[in-house]
């Protein structure tokens, strides 16, 4: 690759300042996150915040944080937010949205939180077609407690609570959340995306935007599942973690649109 | 104002509506279901929020969310459902948002039955969830009192940013009595400064019960305890019936207290100077008021529809100054006035015997 060096004059103090084109979104605080190197949460937080800024809804958005690695999401989003009990974020978001239908309400949940202990809450929020947006990060393990098996753990994957590898005959099969929710009439948008490559990350952000758009249009429940990396608990390097998503997780969790309401427009 | 015949559960619902409840989230369970059914009809009529949740866990977390938005939010349930709500109650207490809960208690443990019970006294006053907190627990004995307590419950909840529980039992929930309902309060538009409304023009509001730093969490707990101490000092409620000259005291709450009134009259007809002390606030327990009576009575009978729960509080207050007898019926069996009266008779006879009167 060749590098082009632009010849240009140094700006003088009186010249128009350079336009800052990459900066912290207003919907993020300037607090450094506690996430591990190579974790996808930080980048996903940023994309959610960018979307909130771009849609111009920061002043009327309320976030609901989960229990799990993203438990402090409320510190990182520069929004009104609250912290739910483990798995209960969709119920809490339901309460918020029902009494403030003019506000934009989203939950940010991991796979243990949403797909295991919060299975009933997410299922029924989707069934009711709650006008909320769910950002669902799937890294196939319980991260915060140290890498135990989650309902999303893929077959054969070694975790601290499936040390011989997940045996699906005794420990059950991986759960596919957007595929499960997509057939429900109340669901307007149910897709899966992945963080394993830059081109894929662009699609993640587009999907997050569509999910918020669904709520703004009032067409129903929206959820984006995002395959994220957990190098710490997968015991691989950050770059190998991206390959792990591509080679191991994608075959089990294909990216795709499982439901896109015809009324949705970008 | 007109007196009308109302069923307990429905009167509680209408009283909550007139007290300005914005949102009701609930799940059916006998013997409180009429409250939910009433709300299902009435709340949408008034343009307010009603939602039948997927479970009591869902319901209490919806209440939590609506309360975070500054709404007057409530739910109602019965014993097994309250067990499921304990997680949410702990979070609500930890994050200091106000809400109101109605518990129409039934027989337990387990699925128990749908008959009246008071066996959740410990659960409501001592262990409504993990961690150090107490809800404000109010125990009406009549449908009118249920209406009156419901009418002030949201103000108490918001004044202290605390959980207020109206603790009734299956008998109170199901019985019909004449009541006078309060006037309809106009809906409230403003939201408290701490509520989640969107950050428009201000710094973010954050509602959480998570404090990883030990010193910080201890400070939060000290603040919570200071608040509970203020509630304990200011919100004790009780009723005395014929206690001025009483030698023997019945202590009972809720439905049992009504039965005890008859027992007190029966005992008085037999020449025993009996009186009734009825705690209305179960937490805070009206300890100083009972303490004064305990200093001068010859005996105390505690009657409950459980195997002996409030009696522990009573013994702590009486401190051995008078004998304390316990009469408990469980499983949904309601004690009869004569059972309580015979406890009083028995106690009076023992006292007379101890004082040398063998007549």
């Amino acid at each position: 690759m060749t590098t082009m060096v632009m010849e240009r004059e140094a700006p003088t103090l009186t010249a128009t300042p350079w336009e800052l084109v990459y900066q912290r979104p207003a919907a993020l605080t300037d607090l450094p996150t506690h996430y591990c190197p190579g974790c996808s949460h930080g980048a996903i937080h940023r994309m959610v915040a960018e979307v909130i800024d771009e849609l111009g809804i920061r002043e009327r958005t309320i976030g609901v944080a989960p229990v799990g690695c993203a438990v402090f999401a409320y510190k990182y989003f520069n929004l009104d937010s609250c912290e739910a009990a483990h798995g209960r974020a969709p119920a809490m978001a339901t309460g918020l949205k029902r009494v403030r239908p003019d506000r934009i309400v989203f939950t940010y949940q991991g796979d243990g939180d949403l797909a295991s202990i919060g299975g009933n809450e997410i299922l029924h929020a989707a069934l009711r077609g709650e006008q909320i947006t769910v950002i669902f990060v799937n890294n196939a393990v319980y991260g915060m407690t140290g890498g135990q098996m989650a309902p999303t753990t893929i077959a054969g994957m070694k975790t601290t609570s499936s040390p011989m590898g997940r045996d699906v005959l005794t420990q059950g099969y991986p759960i596919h959340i957007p595929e499960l929710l997509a057939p429900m009439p109340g669901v307007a948008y149910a897709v899966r995306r992945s963080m394993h490559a830059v081109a894929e990350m662009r699609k993640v952000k587009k999907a997050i935007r569509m999910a918020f758009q669904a709520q703004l249009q009032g067409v129903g429940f929206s959820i984006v599942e995002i395959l994220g990396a957990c190098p710490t608990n997968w015991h691989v390097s950050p770059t190998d973690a991206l390959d792990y998503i591509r080679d191991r997780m994608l075959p089990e969790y294909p990216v795709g649109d499982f439901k896109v309401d015809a009324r949705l427009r970008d | 104002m007109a007196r009308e015949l109302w069923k307990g559960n429905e009167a509680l619902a209408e009283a909550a509506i007139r007290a300005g409840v914005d949102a009701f989230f609930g799940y059916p369970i006998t013997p409180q279901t009429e409250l939910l059914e009433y709300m299902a009809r009435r709340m949408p009529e008034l343009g307010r929020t009603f939602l039948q949740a997927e479970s009591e866990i869902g319901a209490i977390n919806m209440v939590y969310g609506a309360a975070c938005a500054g709404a007057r939010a409530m739910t109602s349930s019965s014993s097994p459902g309250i067990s499921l709500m304990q997680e949410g109650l702990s979070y609500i207490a930890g994050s200091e948002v106000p809400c109101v809960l109605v518990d129409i208690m039934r027989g337990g443990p387990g699925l128990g039955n749908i008959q009246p019970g008071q066996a959740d006294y410990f659960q409501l006053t001592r262990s409504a969830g993990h961690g150090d907190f107490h809800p404000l627990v109010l125990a009406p004995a009549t449908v009118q009192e249920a209406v009156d307590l419901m009418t002030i419950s949201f103000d108490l909840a918001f004044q202290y940013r605390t959980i207020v529980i109206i603790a009734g039992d299956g008998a109170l929930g199901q019985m019909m009595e004449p009541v006078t309902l309060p006037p309809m309060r106009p809906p409230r538009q403003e939201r408290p400064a701490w509520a989640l409304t969107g950050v428009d023009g201000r710094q973010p509001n954050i509602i959480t019960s998570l404090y990883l730093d030990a010193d910080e969490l201890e400070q939060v707990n000290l603040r919570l305890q200071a608040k509970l101490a203020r509630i304990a000092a200011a919100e004790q409620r009780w009723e005395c019936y014929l206690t001025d000259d009483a030698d023997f005291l019945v202590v009972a709450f809720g439905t049992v207290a009504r039965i005890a009134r008859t027992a007190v009259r029966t005992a008085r007809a037999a020449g025993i100077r009996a009186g009734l002390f009825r705690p209305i606030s179960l937490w805070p327990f009206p300890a100083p008021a009972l303490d004064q009576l305990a200093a001068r009575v010859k005996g105390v009978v505690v009657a409950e529809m459980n195997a002996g729960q409030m009696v522990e509080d009573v013994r702590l207050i009486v401190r051995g100054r008078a004998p304390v007898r316990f009469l408990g019926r469980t499983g949904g069996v309601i004690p009869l006035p004569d059972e309580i009266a015979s406890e009083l008779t028995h106690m009076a006879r023992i006292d007379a015997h101890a004082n040398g009167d063998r007549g």
Side-chain angles (χ1 to χ4, degrees), chain A residues 236-264:
Chain A
V236 294
S237 71
T239 46
D240 287 350
L242 301 179
D243 295 341
Y244 188 91
I245 296 178
R246 184 191 62 207
D247 300 336
R248 299 289 307 278
M249 286 185 70
L250 277 176
E252 180 67 42
Y253 297 112
V255 294
D257 297 348
F258 305 102
K259 178 81 156 285
V260 180
D261 190 290
R263 291 166 293 177
L264 251 177

Side-chain angles (χ1 to χ4, degrees), chain A residues 51-116:
Chain A
V51 166
I52 288 169
D53 280 9
E54 288 161 18
L55 292 171
I57 55 173
R58 191 182 82 89
E59 281 71 22
R60 59 184 179 110
T61 296
I62 300 170
V64 184
V67 171
C69 283
V71 69
F72 285 127
Y74 60 81
K75 289 189 178 184
Y76 307 138
F77 288 117
N78 190 18
L79 305 165
D80 270 14
S81 10
C82 54
E83 163 51 37
H86 200 20
R88 318 295 180 223
M92 211 173 167
T94 297
L96 280 157
K97 184 72 179 183
R98 290 287 180 126
V99 297
R100 295 310 299 262
D102 56 338
R103 296 303 192 260
I104 304 302
V105 179
F106 75 99
T107 72
Y108 187 106
Q109 301 177 259
D111 43 321
D113 187 88
L114 181 142
S116 189

Side-chain angles (χ1 to χ4, degrees), chain A residues 58-59 62 71-72 74 78-83 85 88 91-92 94-96 98-100 103 120-121 124 128, chain B residues 23 49 51 54 57 61-62 64-66 69 87 91 196-200 202 204-208 210 212:
Chain A
R58 191 182 82 89
E59 281 71 22
I62 300 170
V71 69
F72 285 127
Y74 60 81
N78 190 18
L79 305 165
D80 270 14
S81 10
C82 54
E83 163 51 37
R88 318 295 180 223
M92 211 173 167
T94 297
L96 280 157
R98 290 287 180 126
V99 297
R100 295 310 299 262
R103 296 303 192 260
N120 207 32
E121 284 73 24
H124 285 274
R128 291 189 303 265
Chain B
T49 301
L51 184 58
E54 64 271 20
I57 297 172
N61 284 285
M62 290 170 191
Y64 188 12
E87 176 198 58
Y91 279 73
L196 305 184
T197 57
V199 289
D200 208 358
R202 60 162 168 76
N205 281 343
I206 303 226
I207 296 179
T208 181
L210 175 67
L212 281 188

